[in-house]
Amino acid sequence: MASYYDEVSRTFNEYLLVPGYSSSACSPQAVDLATPLVRFARHQRPDISLNIPMTSAIMQSVSDDTMAIALAREGGISFIYSSQPIADEAAMIARVKDYKAGFVVSDSNLRPEDTLQSIMELIERSGHSTMPVTHDGSSTGELLGIVTSRDYRPSRTPLDTCASEFMTPRSMLIVAPKGTSLKEANDIIWDHKLNALPIVDENYHLVHIVFRKDYDSHKENPLENLDEAKRYRVGAGINTHDYEDRVGPLVEAGADVLCIDSSEGFSEWQARTLAWIRANYGESVKVGAGNIVDKEGFRFLADAGADFVKVGIGGGSICITREQKGIGRGQATSLIEVAAERNRYFAETGTYIPICSDGGIVYDHHLTLALAMGADFMMLGRYFARFDESPTNRFTINGNYVTEYWGEGSARARNWQRYAQDSSSKLSFEEGVDSYVPYAGPLKDNVALTLAKIRSTMCNCGALSIPEFQDKAKLTIVSSTSIVEGGAHDVMLKDQANVSQTNFR
């Protein structure tokens, strides 16, 4: 007969943290949110860590190169979605790695005969104000000059004027030879008070541009998640079908870590994928796996060689797996069990395998609860889909500003590779929906607010790091009535009242 669990399957909303002793040393500014991303041995450091415990989901509606750059700047990492052609995914990864390398390949280039009218149109499309002029208008053509906003005045310069007439010619430019290090390039920029420094080869062909703003960006974002070459870190999704073709190009493009994107990870398919990667790349390629919801699933993937394990089935806001198939588990219960098994595995083997809580996050305090329950980091979809940096369209619906958000199991995503083990071109049934979420603005501001809440709560529990928080956290189950008590109640909120104010005093 079937096996039954004695305990109820619970969600984050059914738990609260109980405050602990907080010393005078506990201030939000002192909290360190660094956390491991991949497995490591006892007394060693992980090869890849995060400066904040947040990753963006492997979803078409969430993680492209724009999102990856924005999140890495704040200290997290994005996993570029795999439900696209291999070349397209590799190109997104390459753009992320090139962006922070300091040595930028220019994608807004001019020919000498381009008119101011066409230049203004290019600026409108790209948002770039510094544009090299090359003999053929390519990013690697012979450098003839540069056009910046200081070189023309739209109100005085005729729109049919060619770039060659108002550009700053190369005879007046300061350039650096190919092979110049990033530190040397930044020194030249500061010594000569430049905003941009072209890097050219021996034939004066443009190779890269180094911008002052990239140096300034690092100073303004001290938690940036960078690799050894000072480039932004980026992850990439793979599937259990075309991994033999996909992994190589993604690694060559610069992916720092891979993750098998699957609705259910306790499978021979994931073990095969991990075994193939280990046989062909050894330990040099880091790869996470999942998703699972119990200790058996964790053990299976840990023994198969996963560098981290994702926890959660059916808890995502756009996921209807539980409705369609009756399979899954409450996210809090899953996470608590898997975290306990992760700790047992570490005690037995000396290898620590981080776990990622994926799904079930609705409010900011759910992230804090997930950390307290043992998650090393969280993977978020709906959270990031709301921001300017998401790849989705924005609309006004009934007076509300919203963004599109759809699941990888929806018909729109057409991601059969995530849900089926055959080669059909469409899903038999959907496990995700197509929806809207409220628009929330720029990622930076929202992430800063969320992290402020996490740090403040950790201080309330007397913890200054995630491991200390997990050691000291005290959790209590709450009743349905206490959940109501936890919000505003028995009052009329001013922003919801539609009354004319009369002063009776």
Side-chain angles (χ1 to χ4, degrees), residues 59 315-320 405-409 431-435 437:
M59 300 176 68
S317 59
I318 41 68
C319 182
I320 54 173
Y405 180 45
W406 61 93
E408 290 297 297
E431 292 186 48
V433 299
D434 197 346
S435 65
V437 291

Side-chain angles (χ1 to χ4, degrees), residues 205-493:
H205 282 240
L206 182 65
V207 179
H208 294 108
I209 301 180
V210 179
F211 291 94
R212 174 193 289 263
K213 64 179 177 61
D214 288 339
Y215 178 87
D216 294 338
S217 173
H218 176 61
K219 295 303 179 183
E220 294 170 1
N221 301 281
L223 294 179
E224 284 181 321
N225 191 3
L226 306 176
D227 64 16
E228 296 79 4
K230 305 297 183 184
R231 302 175 301 178
Y232 284 138
R233 287 199 182 276
V234 60
I238 59 173
N239 59 65
T240 58
H241 294 264
D242 66 4
Y243 56 88
E244 294 185 15
D245 298 320
R246 189 174 291 266
V247 169
L250 301 186
V251 172
E252 291 172 10
D256 295 279
V257 58
L258 307 177
C259 184
I260 303 172
D261 183 30
S262 174
S263 61
E264 205 281 302
F266 196 175
S267 73
E268 181 182 348
W269 303 103
Q270 294 223 357
R272 287 184 184 180
T273 304
L274 290 167
W276 184 88
I277 291 173
R278 293 292 170 249
N280 287 272
Y281 294 91
E283 299 298 324
S284 64
V285 171
K286 307 301 180 183
V287 55
N291 288 23
I292 51 88
V293 294
D294 59 12
K295 60 186 179 182
E296 289 84 6
F298 173 83
R299 280 276 175 171
F300 175 80
L301 292 177
D303 292 339
D307 285 295
F308 66 84
V309 173
K310 287 204 298 169
V311 181
I313 293 177
S317 59
I318 41 68
C319 182
I320 54 173
T321 294
R322 298 179 191 175
E323 291 180 15
Q324 295 281 53
K325 298 168 64 175
I327 193 169
R329 199 178 191 191
Q331 187 67 12
T333 300
S334 301
L335 189 55
I336 291 169
E337 179 177 315
V338 173
E341 190 65 17
R342 183 266 321 276
N343 294 343
R344 282 191 288 269
Y345 189 90
F346 181 47
E348 294 171 13
T349 67
T351 297
Y352 187 91
I353 299 179
I355 58 175
C356 167
S357 180
D358 179 17
I361 301 290
V362 179
Y363 305 109
D364 284 351
H365 75 271
H366 289 170
L367 279 78
T368 315
L369 287 168
L371 293 173
M373 292 172 181
D376 294 282
F377 58 94
M378 286 71 66
M379 181 169 281
L380 307 165
R382 184 196 64 86
Y383 179 90
F384 287 114
R386 303 172 301 146
F387 302 151
D388 288 331
E389 294 80 2
S390 74
T392 54
N393 296 317
R394 283 178 278 280
F395 303 94
T396 301
I397 297 179
N398 297 327
N400 299 311
Y401 208 21
V402 299
T403 66
E404 292 180 297
Y405 180 45
W406 61 93
E408 290 297 297
S410 67
R412 177 172 182 174
R414 295 178 58 83
N415 190 5
W416 62 267
Q417 293 173 313
R418 189 180 198 269
Y419 292 87
Q421 295 301 335
D422 57 44
S423 58
S424 63
S425 60
K426 65 179 181 178
L427 299 169
S428 300
F429 57 89
E430 292 183 274
E431 292 186 48
V433 299
D434 197 346
S435 65
Y436 299 107
V437 291
Y439 168 70
L443 178 146
K444 184 178 183 65
D445 295 345
N446 285 277
V447 167
L449 178 59
T450 297
L451 296 178
K453 295 177 184 178
I454 293 175
R455 292 188 177 103
S456 179
T457 304
M458 288 173 61
C459 285
N460 293 147
C461 297
L464 294 176
S465 69
I466 292 174
E468 184 182 16
F469 181 45
Q470 293 169 346
D471 183 57
K472 291 183 175 180
K474 296 179 290 185
L475 291 152
T476 181
I477 296 174
V478 298
S479 66
S480 57
T481 52
S482 63
I483 293 175
V484 174
E485 179 187 59
H489 59 90
D490 301 316
V491 295
M492 179 182 291
L493 300 180

